[in-house]
Amino acid sequence: MEANVLRAERTLSLLTSTYLANADAVKANIGLVVDAVLSQNLLAYIDAVDLSEDTTRRYASAIHRWLARINSLATGKTSESRMAGILLMKHTALQSPRTFTDNASKWTIALLNVLGKAEATPVLMATLQTLLAFIDSVRDVPVLHREIATAQVPRMNQAVLSLADKNIDLVGQALDVLAYSATWFPTLFRPSIDKTEGLCLRFLDGSGIRSDPEQCKRAAKCMASLCLVGGKSSAEERWFYCIQQAMGTINRCVDHIMCTDTVGGEEKLQRFFSFPDFADDFAISIPQAADRIAAMVELLVAMLVHPTHVDISVPINELLQTASDLAMIPMRIANSRSSRAEFDLVPLLSPQIQRAAIRIMAALAISLGGHMYPFLSMVARAVIAINVQHIQSPTTQVALHCLMQLYIEKYGYGFIVHLPYEIISSAVDDICVHRKISAPVAPDPKITPASSSHSKKRNGNGKPRASGYGEADVTGDTSRIHWTDVAYATLKTVLALLRHTPTILSTSLRVKIDSQVLTLQMLDMIGGIDRPFAARQSDTRYRVILIQCLEASILSPDPWQKAILPHVISAMNAGLADPSNEVRSVCQQALICIDPIVHSRLPAQQRRPDTEENVEIEDQVPQMMRATGSSVSISAALSSTHLNEKQTATEVNVESAIETSKRFKHEDISIESPTAQLQQSELGLTQSDALLDSKQERAVAEEPNIQRRTAKPAAVGPYPTSSYPMDNSSSRVASVSQTRGTDKISGNTEDTGYDDDDDDIPDIVMEGSDSEDD
């Protein structure tokens, strides 16, 4: 710690004495100084403990020289010096709260004095940014509330309002300062509410929505902050009144566009802002009305998404009705029988009006969440109207797809069930691959068939043989990917459908989606620089969304669709070699998700229950170890038991094979004898069983070694007999025959399908020594 403090002391001394020595040095090195302060954290050791007295004294001296130089620069003669001093004040306050607490009052007064002077715009901009950082720090320090906030915040608000009236270039920064001041100190801001509201409405009349839309958004944000300040009325009443005024202004603009302006007493029932009247010329007034609608929508959006500290009643039904009115304007114009020339302007302005309606519905979903469930049908009707009347505007299509994606992600089936199937199908059509096929060329009458046959090379079947890649260019059969914002927004909507509502899609539509997305992915993979579907570095986001769609389709498959899993895995493996790190990351994540599908994980296997013999041996092992005094393995002790089990299983398998081959032999002889039908009826065999036995007969015929060692005694019953030599001298044969005879007497039979004739089936025993053939 002490070494870091000494390093910071040396660096501060170097910056103060060398790079901030004079005005020329400050102008040339201000960037270096600010970067050094931010990157090395030079002012963070003021409250450090466990330092030696000498180190503390040296560091405090360096800080004192640094602050003295900052104050000198803030009151310098040149604008560059003053701006450098103001910026260094801000970074010092942000990095060292104790230093700011000690100098907050003096620095705030100095900055307010700068606002009252005729300074250059960059200096005033830096001053406003520093004041905003100061009041942000003051609200977290209760000690400074009375010294700084109560005494200086009202003065700062008046100075900022005066500055915004004088310099149009500083209006945006001034609106930000006023908005934060109204949010952080609402009680101290009440004297400035009226002037701030007038400043905001000056930019919300629609005059600057096209030239400077960012300024309009800042004014709407500041206006939303003013609605929660309160005053003569509560914050809830003021907020609701402002919402009513905004919707009333939008209704007036719609009436003006539709030439149904309200008159008489009906106009008094509507609340609206006091904006200038529209121009007399319809070619100017109708665009003014459309711009004012867009500005009022910005205000509605800002008021809906702005956080509030109290519960507010939102007129959801009225807001959705306003959005529906905006969405229906082009439809009303198309159905109108009037021939007024004003109607020719509406198709020109309809995309802007429809985007305003989309913004209202999106803001409602973001701000209200689950409270929108009862109103999803109204949103769906507005979406249908916009989809029908968007006149192929790309910006409107992008906004509409984004709105559908938002509602599908937030409400899922609750929203998608209200949309007709044609809307979803049309969204899928926007991602189709455009194919260009040239018209067939008419044959030249001067060319005879004989001459034409020699003009091209042919295959063996007489068909023309393609000469290479140039043949495709001649025929004109090419696939083109025209990546646009509409295609990207459509893919995002399809991704939301596959992730949140996959079962709403029919099998044919799922197959169409998979084929289109996979085709786009493959064309993008094989595209070269000289191909129509060449992949570009700017297409990274399209490749990412294609991979995400394929992953979502695999993770939520349709039970009746064809499997695309092998193609997706090939595409993901190819994507691992993509030059883009984002594409590689998405492909790797997709392969991780697909791997459990390809290689399924089985649950843990339970251990086989121990037999009684194993349990007895395990109980005897400790006694054996104690008796012998040696280490004996349990597995070794159980080896004999396992061998006995294997031998028993082998004998059972041999007996089963002998019984099967015995039946095959009898059936073979029965087929050759004239009493075959009688034998089948007695055995209960059908025609299918006979066919099956004939196949098994060939399998038995391939094992002559086994048949050579079998013997068959005379049978009792209708079966034909055949004699085989049998050697009874073998004790093994005698024991086996005796054992089987005992089993037969006890009534234990293995083939339950022939219970009636088991007594007539002879036994087959094996003779001879064991060999590999056994």
Side-chain angles (χ1 to χ4, degrees):
M1 173 64 73
E2 190 164 354
N4 293 335
V5 174
L6 291 175
R7 177 187 54 80
E9 181 269 329
R10 290 193 298 268
T11 305
L12 284 175
S13 301
L14 178 63
L15 295 177
T16 305
S17 60
T18 303
Y19 296 103
L20 299 178
N22 50 55
D24 296 335
V26 170
K27 183 178 179 181
N29 302 307
I30 182 61
L32 174 63
V33 174
V34 172
D35 183 70
V37 172
L38 294 178
S39 60
Q40 300 187 26
N41 205 14
L42 300 176
L43 305 171
Y45 303 104
I46 296 179
D47 298 329
V49 296
D50 299 336
L51 297 178
S52 63
E53 183 178 354
D54 182 63
T55 302
T56 305
R57 179 181 55 79
R58 290 175 58 183
Y59 185 70
S61 177
I63 292 293
H64 178 73
R65 291 193 300 270
W66 171 264
L67 297 177
R69 186 55 185 160
I70 287 178
N71 295 331
S72 177
L73 290 173
T75 58
K77 297 181 180 180
T78 62
S79 59
E80 291 83 0
S81 299
R82 290 192 293 272
M83 187 177 70
I86 293 171
L87 291 177
L88 292 177
M89 279 183 184
K90 182 181 73 172
H91 294 302
T92 302
L94 294 176
Q95 196 170 111
S96 178
R98 180 179 174 182
T99 304
F100 171 71
T101 304
D102 296 339
N103 300 274
S105 179
K106 180 173 60 177
W107 285 353
T108 304
I109 294 174
L111 293 177
L112 292 177
N113 292 334
V114 172
L115 292 180
K117 299 179 181 178
E119 288 286 353
T121 302
V123 177
L124 296 175
M125 187 73 69
T127 305
L128 291 175
Q129 294 176 359
T130 306
L131 279 174
L132 184 60
F134 281 4
I135 63 174
D136 189 13
S137 301
V138 164
R139 69 189 182 99
D140 296 331
V141 184
V143 179
L144 299 176
H145 276 194
R146 188 169 71 173
E147 182 180 357
I148 303 298
T150 306
Q152 305 298 337
V153 167
R155 180 187 172 188
M156 181 194 69
N157 296 334
Q158 296 297 329
V160 171
L161 287 171
S162 177
L163 186 63
D165 292 334
K166 296 178 182 178
N167 194 339
I168 191 63
D169 297 332
L170 299 173
V171 172
Q173 191 66 37
L175 288 173
D176 288 342
V177 174
L178 293 173
Y180 286 112
S181 178
T183 304
W184 295 336
F185 306 100
T187 306
L188 300 175
F189 195 84
R190 289 177 181 175
S192 305
I193 289 179
D194 296 336
K195 291 185 178 181
T196 306
E197 184 177 345
L199 177 64
C200 295
L201 292 178
R202 196 171 69 188
F203 295 94
L204 291 174
D205 61 348
S207 58
I209 190 65
R210 297 182 185 275
S211 59
D212 195 356
E214 191 64 29
Q215 201 88 308
C216 183
K217 291 181 180 180
R218 289 181 173 180
K221 180 181 177 180
C222 184
M223 191 72 179
S225 302
L226 295 179
C227 295
L228 300 175
V229 171
K232 297 180 180 179
S233 57
S234 62
E236 299 89 336
E237 295 175 353
R238 187 176 180 85
W239 189 91
F240 189 81
Y241 183 75
C242 187
I243 284 282
Q244 293 290 335
Q245 285 182 309
M247 289 191 296
T249 304
I250 292 175
N251 291 332
R252 288 194 66 189
C253 295
V254 172
D255 292 340
H256 181 76
I257 293 175
M258 301 298 300
C259 300
T260 57
D261 301 61
T262 56
V263 294
E266 295 181 1
E267 185 177 1
K268 298 180 181 179
L269 299 177
Q270 294 184 353
R271 299 173 180 175
F272 49 83
F273 291 109
S274 300
F275 289 130
D277 295 334
F278 297 110
D280 296 333
D281 188 0
F282 69 88
I284 301 175
S285 63
I286 292 181
Q288 283 181 347
D291 294 343
R292 190 167 294 176
I293 288 174
M296 288 292 100
V297 168
E298 290 292 343
L299 177 59
L300 289 177
V301 170
M303 296 184 67
L304 288 173
V305 302
H306 189 76
T308 60
H309 58 277
V310 293
D311 295 334
I312 292 178
S313 177
V314 180
I316 304 177
N317 198 9
E318 290 81 357
L319 288 170
L320 287 177
Q321 186 61 43
T322 302
S324 299
D325 293 342
L326 295 176
M328 297 292 181
I329 285 180
M331 189 177 296
R332 293 175 180 175
I333 294 298
N335 296 333
S336 178
R337 297 180 180 180
S338 177
S339 59
R340 295 184 58 178
E342 293 95 309
F343 290 153
D344 296 335
L345 288 174
V346 176
L348 179 67
L349 302 172
S350 59
Q352 180 185 7
I353 299 174
Q354 289 172 340
R355 290 197 303 272
I358 291 173
R359 285 183 59 83
I360 293 176
M361 292 184 286
L364 287 172
I366 294 172
S367 59
L368 299 181
H371 297 285
M372 284 292 296
Y373 274 106
F375 307 95
L376 292 179
S377 59
M378 296 181 64
V379 176
R381 287 196 294 269
V383 169
I384 296 171
I386 296 173
N387 184 76
V388 172
Q389 299 293 331
H390 63 67
I391 63 173
Q392 298 300 322
S393 172
T395 54
T396 305
Q397 285 180 295
V398 171
L400 185 61
H401 284 304
C402 292
L403 179 67
M404 292 175 60
Q405 175 195 353
L406 174 63
Y407 271 82
I408 291 171
E409 290 177 351
K410 291 187 72 69
Y411 304 107
Y413 291 97
F415 170 73
I416 203 68
V417 295
H418 297 290
L419 290 179
Y421 194 74
E422 292 75 11
I423 300 293
I424 304 175
S425 180
S426 64
V428 177
D429 293 337
D430 292 338
I431 61 174
C432 293
V433 180
H434 304 285
R435 300 188 66 85
K436 178 183 178 182
I437 303 176
S438 62
V441 180
D444 192 352
K446 297 181 181 180
I447 301 176
T448 61
S451 61
S452 62
S453 62
H454 296 287
S455 60
K456 292 184 179 181
K457 297 180 180 180
R458 296 178 177 272
N459 290 326
N461 55 5
K463 296 182 179 180
R465 185 172 59 187
S467 58
Y469 293 107
E471 191 71 23
D473 297 335
V474 173
T475 59
D477 185 5
T478 58
S479 300
R480 297 180 180 273
I481 301 177
H482 184 52
W483 287 127
T484 58
D485 293 337
V486 176
Y488 182 75
T490 305
L491 288 173
K492 295 285 286 185
T493 304
V494 170
L495 178 61
L497 287 170
L498 292 174
R499 285 181 175 177
H500 301 278
T501 57
T503 58
I504 205 69
L505 304 174
S506 64
T507 301
S508 60
L509 190 59
R510 282 295 301 270
V511 172
K512 184 177 181 181
I513 291 174
D514 292 339
S515 61
Q516 292 296 338
V517 174
L518 195 59
T519 301
L520 291 173
Q521 177 68 20
M522 293 301 181
L523 290 178
D524 186 79
M525 287 168 54
I526 66 176
I529 298 177
D530 55 344
R531 301 295 178 84
F533 36 82
R536 303 181 298 272
Q537 292 297 327
S538 58
D539 296 340
T540 300
R541 63 170 184 162
Y542 300 105
R543 296 202 296 273
V544 169
I545 192 64
L546 286 174
I547 295 170
Q548 291 176 346
C549 288
L550 291 175
E551 178 189 353
S553 180
I554 290 296
L555 296 181
S556 58
D558 186 83
W560 304 107
Q561 71 177 110
K562 294 182 179 180
I564 61 171
L565 186 58
H567 307 287
V568 174
I569 294 176
S570 300
M572 298 302 107
N573 290 327
L576 294 177
D578 194 89
S580 174
N581 186 31
E582 186 177 2
V583 175
R584 293 197 303 271
S585 176
V586 175
C587 289
Q588 185 176 8
Q589 181 65 29
L591 287 174
I592 293 174
C593 296
I594 294 174
D595 184 71
I597 301 176
V598 180
H599 306 93
S600 58
R601 272 65 169 172
L602 296 177
Q605 299 286 338
Q606 291 186 355
R607 183 182 176 183
R608 186 185 62 178
D610 294 331
T611 60
E612 296 181 0
E613 297 179 359
N614 293 347
V615 173
E616 293 177 358
I617 294 177
E618 289 179 357
D619 295 339
Q620 295 175 3
V621 166
Q623 300 177 3
M624 295 170 58
M625 294 175 61
R626 288 193 298 269
T628 58
S630 60
S631 176
V632 180
S633 175
I634 297 178
S635 60
L638 295 176
S639 60
S640 60
T641 304
H642 292 306
L643 289 175
N644 294 333
E645 292 177 358
K646 291 181 180 179
Q647 184 176 358
T648 305
T650 303
E651 293 178 359
V652 172
N653 295 333
V654 170
E655 292 176 6
S656 176
I658 292 172
E659 295 294 337
T660 304
S661 61
K662 173 185 60 179
R663 189 174 72 250
F664 291 165
K665 185 63 178 176
H666 289 312
E667 291 171 358
D668 187 14
I669 298 175
S670 65
I671 292 174
E672 297 177 356
S673 63
T675 59
Q677 300 295 332
L678 178 61
Q679 294 172 3
Q680 290 183 7
S681 61
E682 291 179 357
L683 294 176
L685 294 176
T686 61
Q687 185 67 22
S688 60
D689 294 331
L691 295 176
L692 179 62
D693 294 338
S694 64
K695 294 180 181 179
Q696 294 176 346
E697 174 189 358
R698 293 194 297 269
V700 176
E702 295 176 357
E703 300 178 357
N705 296 331
I706 299 178
Q707 294 180 1
R708 191 180 303 116
R709 294 182 174 86
T710 58
K712 183 176 180 183
V716 180
Y719 294 95
T721 61
S722 60
S723 59
Y724 291 90
M726 183 175 64
D727 186 8
N728 295 330
S729 61
S730 176
S731 59
R732 177 184 172 188
V733 174
S735 62
V736 173
S737 301
Q738 183 180 1
T739 305
R740 293 178 181 172
T742 306
D743 294 338
K744 185 178 296 292
I745 293 173
S746 62
N748 295 333
T749 60
E750 293 186 8
D751 194 351
T752 59
Y754 306 97
D755 293 338
D756 298 337
D757 300 321
D758 279 346
D759 297 336
D760 299 333
I761 297 177
D763 293 333
I764 299 176
V765 297
M766 300 187 66
E767 62 180 344
S769 59
D770 295 337
S771 64
E772 294 180 358
D773 296 335
D774 296 335

